Amino acid sequence: MSKKDHEKESIEPASETPKKAYKETLHNLQIELVKLQRHFIRCDDKILIIFEGRDAAGKDGTIKRIVQHLSPRETRVVALGKPSDRDHTSWYFQRYVAYLPVAQELVLFNRSWYNRAGVERVMGFCTDAEYEEFMGSVSEFEHMLVRSGIKLLKYYLDISKPEQKQRLNERKRDPLTQWKVSTLDNQALKMWKQYSLARDEMLAHTHNPIAPWSIVRADDKHLARLNLIKDLLSRLHYDDKDERLIIPDPQIVFPYDVSNLENGQLAK
């Protein structure tokens, strides 16, 4: 085997998880999530998890499994719609601040202020000046959140172009998921390269030791869900943690690094 072939093999994700094993592991991880919730309620923790990624990358499904058995009083999922006229005239981060976690809360952002670095940038929904202002201020904004006591985790779910195409087509055919269909779906494929460039710029400029990005290779939905949950559990403190269960596969979830752009770990 050549060195190139060996390197390619080394970054291939693990094989698909059998359905029975997936359900069993997910159940056990959800028990760990309940342990986590008991802990952050008792300790007045504030936890914020940001989910970003291409359309159909699996954000909805992952979030659903995380919150499925958690108390809704202390768990909130935030998925904001299009900005209003008022939002357009306010400080960009203002509409998000109202949804930040307070003590004893876990908040999951299904897309976030990073819309400005993604869809708004690619589709021309913001000006170059607005984009540059965002890129220049977002890290300081997040550092303020962390200094205030918020535990911030940021995940980017990455999928390949063929996988995105397949999922978008399935979304159109399935009557239970047609509510997800948007006019931007076709643009996601047509402007694949532009979205890739926007992703690369966003990750490179907003990854830092205080608010780092984690990449999730999400072509396999089951593996992505399990390993993302394992990763977040491994990074948060709570009592009676099952350390053996929560070790993520480093081929599926890993810290962002500029080398990811060159070694095939991010879809081009």
Side-chain angles (χ1 to χ4, degrees), residues 25 28-30 32 230 233 242-248:
T25 303
N28 291 332
L29 289 172
Q30 288 173 330
E32 294 296 302
K230 289 179 180 182
L233 288 168
D242 187 340
E243 298 286 356
R244 294 173 300 174
L245 177 65
I246 61 170
I247 301 173

Side-chain angles (χ1 to χ4, degrees), residues 233-246:
L233 288 168
S234 70
R235 294 168 61 190
L236 295 169
H237 177 70
Y238 61 95
D239 296 330
D240 194 27
K241 182 183 290 190
D242 187 340
E243 298 286 356
R244 294 173 300 174
L245 177 65
I246 61 170

Side-chain angles (χ1 to χ4, degrees), residues 48-80:
L48 175 62
I49 306 178
I50 289 177
F51 294 83
E52 292 290 341
R54 297 181 189 268
D55 288 339
K59 298 179 292 296
D60 292 343
T62 301
I63 291 171
K64 178 181 178 180
R65 273 69 183 184
I66 292 172
V67 305
Q68 189 171 6
H69 298 289
L70 299 182
S71 167
R73 288 189 299 275
E74 291 84 17
T75 308
R76 289 189 288 115
V77 177
V78 179
L80 300 183

Side-chain angles (χ1 to χ4, degrees), residues 91-93 113-122 126-143 154 195-208 213 256:
W91 176 49
Y92 177 69
F93 296 102
W113 41 81
Y114 284 104
N115 276 337
R116 176 133 297 176
V119 64
E120 290 190 20
R121 173 64 166 171
V122 173
C126 67
T127 66
D128 288 345
E130 288 171 332
Y131 170 78
E132 295 297 338
E133 166 59 26
F134 169 80
M135 294 294 273
S137 61
V138 63
S139 290
E140 179 55 28
F141 173 68
E142 292 176 349
H143 293 179
K154 302 191 301 187
Y195 273 106
S196 294
L197 179 59
R199 173 203 62 193
D200 297 348
E201 292 178 349
M202 179 191 80
L203 293 172
H205 285 86
T206 63
H207 174 79
N208 57 79
W213 280 103
Y256 167 78

